Amino acid sequence: QVQLVESGGGLVQAGGSLTLSCAASGRTVSSYAMGWFRQAPGKEREFVAAINWSGDARKYVDSVKGRFTISRDNAKNTVNLQMNSLKPEDTAVYYCAASAAFFKVVRGECDYWGQGTQVTVSS
């Protein structure tokens, strides 16, 4: 069993930055693809970003391209999401997730999910 715990959320003004972190415990997940998802009130969960096991391949939803960067440190079993130029529409609960297959992460078909961390962007 793997537990994923997000941190780094909070309140930030539009145009500001936040870095989210996800720490994994339990089974080693260094060989897993990792991803970030978000869900705003009244909306469906949406894919945000994914990174493969080696960290050399990444994918982002169009709305965050050029603003968000996903990275990982397998030695620490962590994955980060650097969020720059934040917009009010980025407000959501952000979740990290993991799957053995990169394409499954992109599709939201993940084996493990974190509890989420709130990101609120004020205008």
Side-chain angles (χ1 to χ4, degrees), residues 4-11 18 20-21 35-49 68 81 83 86-97 113-121:
L4 304 175
V5 180
E6 302 95 336
S7 62
L11 175 64
L18 282 174
L20 305 183
S21 295
W36 286 94
F37 298 78
R38 65 187 181 187
Q39 186 168 27
K43 297 182 179 180
E44 295 183 0
R45 183 189 67 202
E46 70 170 336
F47 167 79
V48 177
F68 291 10
L81 185 68
M83 306 185 294
L86 284 162
K87 305 174 180 179
E89 49 263 47
D90 294 318
T91 295
V93 176
Y94 283 70
Y95 301 89
C96 65
W113 293 87
Q115 85 291 341
T117 186
Q118 177 71 49
V119 172
T120 302
V121 184

Side-chain angles (χ1 to χ4, degrees), residues 51-68:
I51 187 168
N52 72 338
W53 71 270
S54 62
D56 60 1
R58 290 166 292 276
K59 184 175 178 62
Y60 302 92
V61 66
D62 287 345
S63 62
V64 309
K65 287 182 178 178
R67 299 190 298 122
F68 291 10

Side-chain angles (χ1 to χ4, degrees), residues 2 4 24-34 72 74 77 98 112:
V2 172
L4 304 175
S25 62
R27 293 182 180 274
T28 300
V29 293
S30 60
S31 63
Y32 278 62
M34 304 289 293
R72 68 188 299 163
N74 288 341
N77 281 337
Y112 306 102

